[in-house]
Amino acid sequence: MPTRPYVIDEMISAKTIAARVEALAREIHDTFQGTDKLVVVGLLRGSFVFIADMVRELDLPVEVDFIEATSYGDSTESSREVRILKDLRGEIHDRDVLVVEDIVDTGYTLRHVVGLLRAKEPKRLKTVALLDKPTRREVDIKADWTGFEIPDEFVVGYGIDYAQRNRNLPYIGAVRFLAEE
Ligand code: PRP
């Protein structure tokens, strides 16, 4: 998809993200302390950086699994129809589960995935989202833990893309579109 020209303004630095991930991991550790196994489920593709940092901060026995869900394609507008492109590999019945999401925007993705996972009857199911845009919410859902609440700006980096670009930025940046020539 052709993109309009844009620049990226740093919104949350890599250092600030690292400190917040560490603090979130401490709270998650306290909740799941004593677990025999925590299945940490990352929602691809956007959460791949966050889950990598999160599991390395968690001093718990973890299993890592992934679901690939998409509702945006290469568009900046949610289709509100969540498609599962890749399901879990492992079992979560009677297991402790932590869903790791990069951003909650309209809320459709998290609501859909939580519904699917609850149907598998885990012992406990908790959710963590690095970013939350509460002003964009269309369905009533909130992650159990949130890294940062942000305004309604299009963001990239730390796993998050714009038309599949910029996932590899170490910080979260706001996309600022430039006027077309
Ligand atoms: C993005 C993001 C979240 C979801 C949040 O995924 O990674 O999973 O949208 O939006 P929502 O709250 O409005 O549902 P996307 O569909 O772009 O796929 P990706 O993670 O592969 O980039």
Side-chain angles (χ1 to χ4, degrees):
M1 187 192 87
T3 57
R4 289 155 58 201
Y6 63 95
V7 293
I8 299 168
D9 296 328
E10 183 171 299
M11 181 189 267
I12 308 172
S13 72
K15 208 173 152 190
T16 303
I17 297 170
R20 189 70 187 116
V21 172
E22 207 183 311
L24 289 169
R26 272 198 301 273
E27 291 183 29
I28 292 166
H29 178 274
D30 288 351
T31 295
F32 288 108
Q33 197 162 25
T35 184
D36 56 338
K37 185 168 77 177
L38 177 64
V39 184
V40 183
V41 177
L43 300 196
L44 295 172
R45 288 180 257 179
S47 75
F48 78 101
V49 177
F50 184 32
I51 190 174
D53 283 349
M54 176 56 75
V55 292
R56 285 179 291 174
E57 292 293 338
L58 281 177
D59 185 17
L60 293 171
V62 303
E63 179 175 316
V64 176
D65 209 335
F66 294 97
I67 289 180
E68 184 166 7
T70 187
S71 58
Y72 284 79
D74 281 347
S75 164
T76 56
E77 203 37 52
S78 172
S79 66
R80 295 171 183 77
E81 270 174 43
V82 182
R83 287 189 301 141
I84 301 297
L85 306 178
K86 182 216 164 298
D87 209 341
L88 287 179
R89 290 272 295 278
E91 296 293 327
I92 61 161
H93 178 75
D94 207 25
R95 290 284 170 205
D96 285 329
V97 176
L98 175 70
V99 176
V100 177
E101 175 63 303
D102 52 329
I103 182 164
V104 184
D105 191 304
T106 62
Y108 283 100
T109 304
L110 190 62
R111 184 179 70 168
H112 187 79
V113 169
V114 164
L116 289 178
L117 297 184
R118 281 211 195 286
K120 295 175 192 272
E121 300 182 326
K123 192 196 299 177
R124 283 183 287 183
L125 177 71
K126 297 281 187 189
T127 55
V128 59
L130 182 73
L131 304 176
D132 189 357
K133 283 188 195 171
T135 58
R136 292 263 305 166
R137 196 72 86 256
E138 295 183 15
V139 295
D140 185 21
I141 191 155
K142 190 170 177 14
D144 295 297
W145 292 280
T146 296
F148 305 93
E149 287 197 355
I150 59 168
D152 180 15
E153 290 194 57
F154 200 82
V155 290
V156 291
Y158 200 72
I160 301 171
D161 73 305
Y162 171 51
Q164 303 310 326
R165 300 179 192 181
N166 310 122
R167 290 194 196 270
N168 58 329
L169 285 177
Y171 56 87
I172 298 287
V175 170
R176 189 158 52 81
F177 291 102
L178 303 173
E180 305 260 10
E181 302 270 309

